[in-house]
């Protein structure tokens, strides 16, 4: 017997009711859910700010680069960075931004991504990694800018899973829930923003 | 990790006298205990959610084989390689082999208590692989050659000044004093480690059977880096960590960070499924998942099975009056506090940790906060019974308890014995009414005096009044 067989042999379980177990898988029932949120966008914004993210709103997607440029300028951050190839079509240059569409490298200071959806309950973003949406863009740079479509704000993580099941055949290699800038409280349990990931996260709500 | 639980009693004395440690522990209490209570109430039906979480964990444990096989099937479909390890040594051997197979020279690691349980770093270093811990707390400990003292906040026993000195010493840079500066310095020192590592090692908070994914809960982002940049990713975790569905994981995720650090959600929750696809611009070419048993399967079907529900949030230790006073190192192994006092004897041998099941007042705070409702005090009590049955308690204690139980079953003898005892104690107590020494209870009287009875038993006084 190899290790696998030995471990499985030790797991002395009553004969599984296979039908019940696959029923659970197929129906994937939810646990207790939070109370309904009246206004998903409002709730999302409140929670995101609480997580130390910054937030601006654009009337249309094409105006997002201008708002991002403003934000970077105000904070004297570099006007240069990378974006998801999926966002290459936005008018970056017109707003004075020098943005390359590719995965992020260590030197990149600003990373601009979209979001698969956002979660109102906790103010969280859900990003899927993929060919046009590399995960490094939201991770390596010190500033992460995420464009969020207000129509794609869902109430809970469970709603996000349903959306994922509907729109993707299977989860991509990386599914990342992001809730504000990276942080650590390892030294004296004091929360410090900017650990190994971004120091700041700007959310741009844009349809 | 070597188990030093036999040294518990001596360690307690040392830790109680360690002023710096006492200060550090009071910080933990205020941040984590108050932090938890502030956010746990966001869950409006907390008890129902705890019940649901408990059912999820029980469902898995009652059919662990089934769910593990389903997980293995799904993970394999996506190109992950699943390994099964019976013991810590087996797990180490497997990871060393993976490293050799892929010609790995350096590994970057995010926090994993299971890897601490195995002593994985030493095994890799012995095989010539350089391992860098990248979680800030674990990195500090690696530089200081120390073990974690808490499962969530590993370096809780150290203060800022000690860390400043340590960094100045090992980094050779000007000494920083602010916490933010120290964090920035660690970030800058560690970035190259991520970029140059051949292998990333992570744990997994949950394994999702439905999708064959490993789910990792982190704040710093290092968990994302070690699973994205290196060409090989190894996730090592216990066999009990599997959960059936994404929804099940979501229920547990409502409780885990709130119970652990008082956060509604951690900064990152990363779900990793399979290896890099051809179209993926980044990600590891190889994904290995190591499932460690190390004594877990033998708890299934026993009264101790409930302990396997544990999701490693640390709330039980944060709320434990014993942990709050002695910290994690005194417990001698990887898992401290109430959960450790149960896991250490169960996983590493009951004879190796004789004091741990007794290192509790059974006040019950741990069971009240445990998100998956593990009856920790009951399990501690069961372990005490087992110790007694195996003859692992000191002879004097067993003898005294024997006398006590005989007396308790013989009311007349009990009345006589107590009558004699209270009178004798009153005499010895003298004018002060205090006993400085009690035969068989020196552990109690060494630190304080025992108030002497006033000369009559309860039953005598009761009779007088009625
Ligand atoms: S026993 Fe309960 S409270 Fe303690 S770490 Fe495990 S899940 Fe958390």
């Amino acid at each position: 017997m190899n290790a696998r067989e030995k471990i499985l042999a030790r797991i002395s379980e009553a004969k599984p009711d296979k039908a019940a177990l696959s029923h659970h898988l197929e129906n994937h029932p939810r646990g207790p859910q939070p109370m309904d949120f009246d206004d998903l966008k409002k709730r999302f914004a409140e929670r995101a700010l609480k997580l130390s993210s910054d937030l601006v709103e654009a009337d249309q997607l094409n105006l997002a680069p201008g708002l991002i440029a403003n934000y970077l300028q105000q904070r004297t951050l570099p006007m240069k960075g990378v974006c998801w190839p999926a966002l290459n079509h936005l008018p970056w240059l017109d707003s004075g931004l020098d943005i390359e569409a590719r995965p992020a490298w260590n030197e990149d200071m600003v990373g601009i991504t979209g979001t698969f959806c956002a979660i109102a309950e906790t103010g969280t973003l859900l990003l899927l990694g993929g060919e046009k949406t590399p995960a490094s863009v939201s991770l390596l740079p010190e500033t992460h800018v995420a464009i969020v479509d207000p129509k794609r704000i869902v109430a809970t993580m469970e709603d996000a899973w349903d959306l994922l099941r509907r729109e993707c055949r299977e989860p991509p290699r990386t599914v990342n829930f992001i809730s504000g800038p990276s942080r650590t409280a390892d030294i004296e349990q004091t929360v410090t923003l900017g650990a190994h990931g971004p120091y700041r996260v700007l959310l741009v709500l844009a349809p | 990790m070597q188990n030093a639980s036999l040294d518990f009693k001596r360690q307690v004395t040392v830790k109680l006298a360690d002023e710096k440690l006492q200060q550090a522990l009071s910080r933990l209490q205020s941040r984590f205990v108050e932090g938890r209570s502030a956010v746990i109430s966001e869950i409006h039906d907390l008890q129902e959610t705890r019940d649901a979480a408990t059912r999820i964990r029980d469902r898995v444990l009652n059919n662990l084989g089934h769910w593990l096989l389903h997980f293995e099937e799904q993970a394999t479909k996506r190109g992950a390689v699943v390994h099964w390890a019976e013991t810590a040594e087996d797990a180490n051997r497997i990871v060393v082999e993976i490293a050799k197979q892929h010609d790995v020279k350096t590994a970057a690691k995010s926090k994993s208590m299971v890897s601490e349980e195995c002593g994985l770093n030493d095994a890799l270093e012995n095989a010539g692989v350089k391992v860098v811990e990248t979680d800030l707390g674990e990195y500090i400990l690696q530089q200081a050659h120390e073990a974690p003292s808490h499962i969530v906040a590993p370096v809780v026993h150290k203060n800022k000044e000690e860390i400043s000195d340590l960094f100045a010493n090992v980094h050779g840079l000007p000494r920083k004093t602010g916490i933010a500066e120290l964090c920035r310095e660690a970030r800058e020192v560690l970035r190259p480690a991520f970029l140059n590592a051949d292998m990333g090692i992570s744990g997994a908070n949950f394994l999702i059977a439905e999708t064959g994914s490993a789910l990792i809960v982190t704040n710093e982002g290092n968990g994302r880096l070690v699973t994205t940049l290196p060409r090989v990713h190894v996730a090592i975790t216990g066999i009990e960590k599997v959960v059936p569905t994404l929804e099940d994981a979501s229920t547990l995720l409502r409780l885990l960070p709130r119970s652990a650090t008082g956060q509604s959600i951690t900064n990152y929750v990363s779900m990793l499924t399979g290896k890099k696809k051809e179209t993926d611009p980044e990600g590891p070419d190889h994904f290995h998942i190591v499932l460690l048993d190390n004594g877990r399967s033998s708890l299934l079907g026993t009264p101790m099975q409930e302990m396997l529900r544990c999701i490693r949030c640390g709330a039980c230790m944060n709320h434990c009056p014993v942990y709050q006073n002695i910290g994690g190192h005194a417990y001698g192994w990887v898992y401290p506090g109430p959960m450790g006092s149960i896991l250490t004897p169960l996983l590493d041998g009951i004879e190796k940790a004789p004091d741990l099941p007794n290192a509790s007042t059974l006040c019950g705070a741990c069971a009240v906060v445990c998100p998956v409702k593990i009856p920790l005090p009951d399990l501690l009590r069961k372990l005490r019974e087992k110790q007694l049955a195996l003859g692992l308690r000191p002879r004097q204690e067993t003898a005294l308890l024997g006398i006590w139980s005989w007396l308790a079953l013989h009311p007349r003898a009990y009345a006589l014995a107590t009558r004699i005892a209270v009178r004798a104690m009153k005499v010895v107590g003298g004018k002060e009414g205090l006993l400085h020494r009690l035969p068989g209870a020196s552990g109690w009287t060494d630190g304080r005096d025992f108030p002497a009875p006033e000369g009559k038993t309860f039953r005598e006084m009761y009779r007088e009044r009625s």
Side-chain angles (χ1 to χ4, degrees), chain A:
Chain A
M1 279 214 289
N2 60 22
R4 177 177 181 274
E5 288 160 358
K6 280 194 215 155
I7 293 171
L8 287 169
R10 265 199 304 272
I11 301 177
S12 53
E13 56 192 282
K15 224 168 152 229
D17 177 355
K18 289 240 162 101
L21 298 183
S22 45
H23 183 82
H24 182 78
L25 264 187
E26 274 151 33
N27 292 291
H28 42 81
R30 296 181 176 196
Q33 296 293 289
M35 289 200 257
D36 282 344
F37 309 119
D38 308 332
D39 182 341
L40 289 178
K41 192 169 113 182
K42 192 167 144 247
R43 163 84 184 195
F44 170 75
E46 275 168 20
R47 298 299 300 206
L49 292 173
K50 243 179 134 177
L51 294 167
S52 313
S53 295
D54 299 314
L55 190 130
V56 293
E57 230 181 310
D59 295 331
Q60 45 170 306
L61 187 55
N62 262 345
L63 300 177
L67 292 175
I68 297 168
N70 271 344
Y71 177 88
L72 296 175
Q73 211 160 28
Q74 275 166 17
R75 287 167 179 73
T76 57
L77 294 167
M79 305 289 281
K80 199 170 147 9
V82 282
C83 75
W84 274 0
L87 296 175
N88 199 18
H89 60 281
L90 291 181
W92 301 114
L93 217 53
D94 299 350
S95 307
L97 290 169
D98 176 6
I99 301 294
E100 289 179 37
R102 55 168 170 79
W105 302 327
N106 190 38
E107 312 71 68
D108 295 320
M109 296 302 279
V110 177
I112 305 171
T113 71
T115 37
F116 174 72
C117 70
I119 298 165
E121 181 182 359
T122 45
T124 298
L125 309 173
L126 176 53
L127 273 63
L128 307 183
E131 190 178 358
K132 298 244 156 65
T133 57
S136 55
V137 180
S138 62
L139 180 58
L140 287 173
E142 292 195 3
T143 303
H144 171 208
V145 180
I147 301 176
V148 181
D149 179 352
K151 287 193 296 298
R152 290 185 68 92
I153 300 176
V154 298
T156 62
M157 195 180 258
E158 286 86 342
D159 286 342
W161 296 132
D162 278 349
L163 201 60
L164 182 74
R165 286 197 186 95
R166 239 185 350 262
E167 296 182 4
C168 308
R169 202 168 43 83
E170 57 184 19
R173 146 92 192 155
T174 55
V175 172
N176 276 305
F177 294 89
I178 301 179
S179 306
S182 74
R183 66 194 66 201
T184 177
D186 272 347
I187 303 181
E188 299 196 346
Q189 281 57 62
T190 304
V191 177
T192 310
L193 295 185
H196 292 298
Y199 278 77
R200 60 194 78 76
V201 173
L202 169 67
L203 305 173
V204 185
L205 288 174

Side-chain angles (χ1 to χ4, degrees), chain B residues 23-96:
Chain B
Q23 260 171 24
L25 289 169
S26 67
R27 220 162 28 228
L28 179 85
Q29 225 166 308
S30 63
R31 298 272 150 74
F32 281 0
V33 172
E34 284 162 30
R36 173 190 174 275
S37 85
V39 299
I40 200 83
S41 53
E42 289 176 351
I43 305 177
H44 68 95
D45 40 11
L46 177 62
Q47 295 317 323
E48 256 173 72
T49 307
R50 286 174 77 213
D51 285 333
T54 305
R55 278 197 302 276
I56 289 167
R57 296 297 298 140
D58 281 344
R59 173 177 293 113
V60 169
L61 297 173
N62 290 335
N63 292 105
L64 188 59
H66 173 87
W67 293 114
L68 280 169
L69 287 173
H70 193 90
F71 170 78
E72 183 187 41
E73 186 188 325
Q74 295 304 313
T76 311
K77 242 191 226 164
R78 292 291 301 267
V81 183
V82 178
H83 306 260
W84 302 68
E86 285 200 83
T87 63
E89 293 74 45
D90 291 343
N92 291 344
R93 190 178 34 75
I94 290 167
V95 181
V96 167

Side-chain angles (χ1 to χ4, degrees), chain B residues 205-216:
Chain B
N205 295 83
F206 301 114
L207 301 169
I208 319 257
E210 177 184 358
T211 54
S213 318
L215 194 127
I216 307 176

Side-chain angles (χ1 to χ4, degrees), chain B residues 151 307 310-316 339 366 369-372 374 376:
Chain B
I151 60 169
M307 194 58 228
C310 177
I311 57 173
R312 305 287 193 268
C313 71
C316 56
M339 55 85 85
C366 48
V369 294
C370 177
V372 284
I374 301 174
L376 296 147

